[in-house]
Amino acid sequence: KPVGLSRGRGIRIVSRIEDVRYSELVVVQKYIPNPLLLHGFKFDLRLYVLVTSFSPLEAYIYKSGFARVASRAFSDTATSAHDKFIHLTNASIQKNAPENPFIDSAFKDAEIHEAGGSKCNLEFLWKQLKISRPDINISDLWHSICEVILASLVCVDPHIPHQPNSFELFGYDVLIDEKLKPWLIEVNASPSMARPTTLDAQIKETLIRDTIRLLNPIPYDRKALVHILNRRLAAEEQGSLVHRQTAQNALASPTVLNADLNKILHRLKPRRYGELPHYLGAYTQLAPGQSFDKMRRLKRAVTKNCGVSSYYIE
């Protein structure tokens, strides 16, 4: 998988290490040979995770998402190894598949709001999987998926600086094998919000609205902000070194800082870390929480056993 490319471009399946091209920067992943199938077709999940804070971590997962389904029935034979319409589920690849009657089998019972193109919504997927695999406990499977996502965030959390005025919506690609074990395939920053089908519009437009309402950015007074910044800069640049130091100490005092913030934010207060937003929509919280604490303890134990410092997760 070439680094820096998207939409499935340049992905190849190789069976020998000699086939790896060393002239380009690539990511090499083990192929999962036993994927869980939807009516005989390979699929993976596109899930959306909103991170509102790193260091400390605060994250939410969206309950609605997609199953991206291949257009040709799954086969693990050597002759089918290079058939991207069997092995790669990216919608940008599958939309170019030749007319194929098999895709109708995967979505044969779907309504227009449940499937579109080569994707279906999660509700349809869970319903169909329960028919073919009555032993599947969807709640347990979802919990396992959330733990995989949370583990990935815990791994990178200490390496991403805290930015209190920032957020990121990630597109997670997760594959489930026939033993119901979820595998993280990749994480996409700025996932596509294109809406070529009714299903895309239904899920993504609601996702965008829920994201903005959850973030609830506070309106601020731009004129007050400019005035206060200019006043602070002027105070720090005038007079002797001692005078400037005194001015800096005064400006850093909680009383002055709070007064300036009240003027800029009209006395509104940003939500504190860990406080649940007033509106969640279809989001549920991943971190902070019990699962997050469990994952941090697990990481602490692993890094300790490996002789790696884990001071940053204490």
Side-chain angles (χ1 to χ4, degrees):
K1 182 181 298 185
V3 171
L5 292 183
S6 60
R7 302 191 299 276
R9 293 173 295 172
I11 297 179
R12 297 182 299 120
I13 298 176
V14 299
S15 56
R16 304 180 308 161
I17 193 66
E18 292 84 359
D19 294 330
V20 176
R21 298 171 182 170
Y22 294 94
S23 59
E24 61 178 340
L25 193 61
V26 297
V27 175
V28 180
Q29 293 177 304
K30 180 180 178 180
Y31 187 86
I32 308 302
N34 58 333
L36 182 64
L37 303 178
L38 175 62
H39 301 310
F41 297 83
K42 181 179 178 180
F43 71 91
D44 65 13
L45 307 179
R46 164 53 63 89
L47 304 173
Y48 298 98
V49 175
L50 175 65
V51 177
T52 51
S53 172
F54 277 111
S55 302
L57 180 65
E58 185 177 77
Y60 305 84
I61 186 169
Y62 205 62
K63 296 177 185 177
S64 298
F66 300 98
R68 309 183 304 177
V69 186
S71 58
R72 291 179 179 168
F74 181 73
S75 171
D76 58 0
T77 62
T79 55
S80 68
H82 302 291
D83 191 334
K84 58 187 178 182
F85 300 119
I86 293 177
H87 299 287
L88 302 181
T89 60
N90 306 64
S92 54
I93 289 178
Q94 293 300 330
K95 70 180 182 180
N96 297 317
E99 291 297 324
N100 193 299
F102 290 114
I103 194 65
D104 294 331
S105 297
F107 300 149
K108 60 182 178 181
D109 299 320
E111 302 290 342
I112 190 171
H113 65 278
E114 294 178 316
S118 61
K119 297 181 290 189
C120 66
N121 65 24
L122 295 184
E123 290 79 6
F124 177 80
L125 173 68
W126 305 142
K127 181 173 63 177
Q128 295 301 307
L129 290 179
K130 286 292 290 184
I131 294 173
S132 58
R133 288 279 303 268
D135 61 309
I136 294 180
N137 185 312
I138 301 301
S139 296
D140 289 347
L141 178 59
W142 182 253
H143 180 73
S144 298
I145 292 170
C146 289
E147 285 199 329
V148 169
I149 292 173
L150 195 50
S152 71
L153 292 171
V154 168
C155 285
V156 302
D157 180 40
H159 306 290
I160 301 179
H162 179 64
Q163 296 287 345
N165 61 340
S166 302
F167 72 93
E168 180 66 74
L169 181 67
F170 294 103
Y172 269 72
D173 296 338
V174 176
L175 184 141
I176 306 167
D177 68 22
E178 62 183 7
K179 295 182 179 180
L180 305 183
K181 178 179 180 179
W183 297 82
L184 176 60
I185 304 301
E186 67 178 21
V187 183
N188 301 272
S190 302
S192 171
M193 289 291 117
R195 302 177 295 284
T197 68
T198 300
L199 178 66
D200 281 302
Q202 175 188 329
I203 291 179
K204 293 180 180 178
E205 289 178 7
T206 306
L207 167 66
I208 292 170
R209 284 195 297 269
D210 283 354
T211 300
I212 294 173
R213 291 187 66 182
L214 184 152
L215 294 169
N216 191 26
I218 295 178
Y220 65 95
D221 189 325
R222 291 177 180 268
K223 290 183 178 180
L225 175 62
V226 172
H227 172 75
I228 290 170
L229 288 176
N230 287 334
R231 190 196 77 218
R232 284 174 164 261
L233 287 172
E236 292 181 358
E237 293 173 354
Q238 294 177 356
S240 64
L241 178 61
V242 174
H243 182 273
R244 291 198 300 270
Q245 186 63 54
T246 302
Q248 290 173 1
N249 292 337
L251 292 173
S253 72
T255 302
V256 176
L257 184 60
N258 286 333
D260 286 346
L261 287 174
N262 282 332
K263 292 177 183 178
I264 296 170
L265 300 178
H266 301 293
R267 296 189 174 276
L268 296 174
K269 294 182 179 180
R271 182 174 60 85
R272 292 177 178 272
Y273 168 79
E275 290 181 358
L276 272 179
H278 293 300
Y279 179 87
L280 285 171
Y283 279 106
T284 57
Q285 191 174 54
L286 287 174
Q290 292 183 350
S291 294
F292 174 55
D293 294 337
K294 172 187 172 183
M295 203 61 63
R296 290 203 304 172
R297 289 194 297 269
L298 176 61
K299 181 181 177 183
R300 187 180 299 117
V302 170
T303 53
K304 182 178 180 180
N305 291 338
C306 295
V308 179
S309 174
S310 59
Y311 68 90
Y312 45 77
I313 57 174
E314 294 297 339

